[in-house]
Amino acid sequence: AEPVSEPTPPAQEPAPTADRPFALQLMGSYDRDRVLALAARPDLPASVYMRQESLRGRPWYVLIHSLHAAYEDAQAEHGRLPEDLARLDTWIRRLPPDAGLEQIPTGRAP
């Protein structure tokens, strides 16, 4: 049987980070499809964010759960993650105002 691949969602407008610079990052991977598969979970917010970066000279994709105005707000959100997501190698990071995030709708109602 052929492997089933999830359709790639359409590109969205970049999400502004100037007023919400703290990101709760769920994962990073060289495999974009792996990041999109996690983004399809039904227990994520209505929108999550993906950012392409570079690691060791290769494209690196990160999945961001949510953006926050303060570090403490991101910490509080981390405390509300489902247990299996909280066990991932999550971290809170400050993003530059021009971070170039791709907003990915998850299909969940806001």
Side-chain angles (χ1 to χ4, degrees), residues 8-19:
T8 302
Q12 301 292 315
E13 289 296 316
T17 58
D19 60 341

Side-chain angles (χ1 to χ4, degrees), residues 51-73:
R51 180 173 188 218
Q52 181 177 339
E53 301 176 352
S54 180
L55 183 66
R56 298 185 185 118
R58 295 173 51 196
W60 179 255
Y61 303 93
V62 299
L63 181 64
I64 295 172
H65 177 275
S66 50
L67 301 172
H68 302 275
Y71 185 90
E72 296 76 17
D73 297 336

Side-chain angles (χ1 to χ4, degrees), residues 29-100:
S29 176
Y30 291 115
D31 184 349
R32 185 176 192 270
D33 290 336
R34 184 170 174 234
V35 173
L36 290 172
L38 183 61
R41 285 180 55 131
D43 55 352
L44 291 178
S47 290
V48 293
Y49 306 93
M50 183 170 62
R51 180 173 188 218
Q52 181 177 339
E53 301 176 352
S54 180
L55 183 66
R56 298 185 185 118
R58 295 173 51 196
W60 179 255
Y61 303 93
V62 299
L63 181 64
I64 295 172
H65 177 275
S66 50
L67 301 172
H68 302 275
Y71 185 90
E72 296 76 17
D73 297 336
Q75 280 182 310
E77 186 64 31
H78 183 272
R80 292 188 286 272
L81 289 176
E83 187 177 324
D84 61 329
L85 285 179
R87 283 190 305 240
L88 295 175
D89 191 17
T90 62
W91 63 299
I92 298 167
R93 59 188 289 199
R94 186 179 189 110
L95 297 174
D98 59 348

